[in-house]
Amino acid sequence: MKDPEILIHYLDVLLKKSNFTRAARELYISQPYLTQLIKRIERKLGTKILNRDVAPYTLTKAGVIYYKYLETAITNNQKLEDKLTPYTDPNKEIVRIGILESLGTFLLPELLPEFLAQNPNIKVQLTETYPRKSEAQLLAEQVDCYIGQTPESLSSGLDFYVNGGENYYIIISPKSKYFKKGRFILEPDEYDIKTIIKEPFVVSSSNSAIRHQVNGVFQKFHVKPNIVLETNSILTATNLAIKGVGLTISAASIIKRMNQTPINLLPLNENIITVKYFIAVKKGIKQKEGVKKLIAKFMEKSIQPNIR
């Protein structure tokens, strides 16, 4: 038993069940086999990897090291497989895409299923990270293209193609004094924006694409933001705002995925915040056929999430 993916799955189930019999039953293997497997690993390592005298089971310090080793092995195996693809499957073309995770959760399902179905010879590799890192990876040719938003801030070393965009809203929870019961989407001029944005705000980190846009809103109205909490994820910021921790500015594609709850959405006019989607490539290099096809598919899609 050397497959790191299987080993890490066995450990996950053991930690969840904290019982070898119940874990073996969920894994559809025998309990003696599972017990002996863990003992063999511990003998080979020369130390215990599980604290199993008391429930719930936990990893020992050595077990944490072993678990991270398995995770690294899984990643390295995938990287090796990807690097060997041109030789093991010469008809397969790899397209490497850099994208912001929160944007990818909405945009990629709109784009990739049809693209991959029409191009079975193409394999996509995703790198999900912050915009600046994606841009740097594209300039270093570590990815083939970068899908993002707000192309105005892109490096001059990139070519980009713009299509679609989305509306942004200030989320007002029932805990806010500005909440209007029985309403959902308010009129854009229902409140004075400068007054609203003086309220406590939850925001995403300075690395995020949306944070640059949000900062622009505060600057436009000459308001010093009252930030009560900062998070790495716009999804987290949106959920916290819905629960009343503070107001936030979020996108239609993000809000649509949240559980239905009584909130108000105050639309922000395009002259206050404008977000457009783009796909960028490095300027001056010959593009792969797969990248050209991906750009064509991106440009033909109707990408405009709406809330009703």
Side-chain angles (χ1 to χ4, degrees), residues 133-204:
K133 188 169 182 181
S134 288
E135 187 173 322
Q137 288 175 332
L138 180 54
L139 288 168
E141 299 182 31
Q142 295 169 345
V143 295
D144 300 308
C145 57
Y146 158 40
I147 299 175
Q149 56 193 45
T150 61
E152 297 82 3
S153 63
L154 283 174
S155 163
S156 59
L158 302 178
D159 287 324
F160 59 88
Y161 306 84
V162 175
N163 181 31
E166 57 184 314
N167 298 320
Y168 274 67
Y169 302 84
I170 296 177
I171 296 176
I172 304 173
S173 89
K175 295 183 180 180
S176 170
K177 64 184 178 183
Y178 293 101
F179 178 74
K180 292 193 173 182
K181 191 175 181 180
R183 302 282 301 282
F184 182 41
I185 300 180
L186 306 179
E187 295 299 323
D189 59 354
E190 199 147 342
Y191 285 121
D192 176 61
I193 299 298
K194 186 171 183 177
T195 301
I196 290 287
I197 64 175
K198 289 179 180 178
E199 290 294 296
F201 259 73
V202 181
V203 295
S204 57

Side-chain angles (χ1 to χ4, degrees), residues 4-5 68-84:
E5 291 191 31
K68 289 180 179 178
Y69 161 79
L70 292 175
E71 289 182 320
T72 301
I74 292 169
T75 301
N76 287 340
N77 285 346
Q78 184 60 53
K79 288 180 179 178
L80 176 62
E81 181 182 326
D82 292 340
K83 287 181 178 179
L84 289 174

Side-chain angles (χ1 to χ4, degrees), residues 111-122:
L111 178 65
L112 289 186
E114 188 175 334
F115 172 74
L116 291 172
Q118 292 173 351
N119 299 279
N121 65 313
I122 292 177

Side-chain angles (χ1 to χ4, degrees), residues 13-20 22-23 52 54-58:
V13 174
L14 267 171
L15 291 168
K16 180 178 72 172
K17 294 297 183 181
S18 293
N19 179 281
F20 274 79
R22 290 197 295 269
R52 48 187 181 271
V54 179
Y57 289 178
T58 57

Side-chain angles (χ1 to χ4, degrees), residues 199-266:
E199 290 294 296
F201 259 73
V202 181
V203 295
S204 57
S205 70
S206 58
N207 289 322
S208 67
I210 188 175
R211 178 63 182 276
H212 299 304
Q213 300 296 312
V214 171
N215 286 346
V217 174
F218 288 117
Q219 291 164 11
K220 189 183 293 284
F221 289 94
H222 306 289
V223 170
K224 183 179 180 181
N226 178 10
I227 297 172
V228 294
L229 191 62
E230 184 174 295
T231 169
N232 286 333
S233 170
I234 183 58
L235 296 169
T236 303
T238 302
N239 264 323
L240 289 171
I242 287 172
K243 296 298 182 182
V245 173
L247 305 185
T248 201
I249 295 174
S250 192
S253 61
I254 302 294
I255 299 168
K256 285 177 70 172
R257 285 176 278 169
M258 301 302 162
N259 293 328
Q260 293 298 316
T261 186
I263 57 170
N264 291 159
L265 299 179
L266 180 63

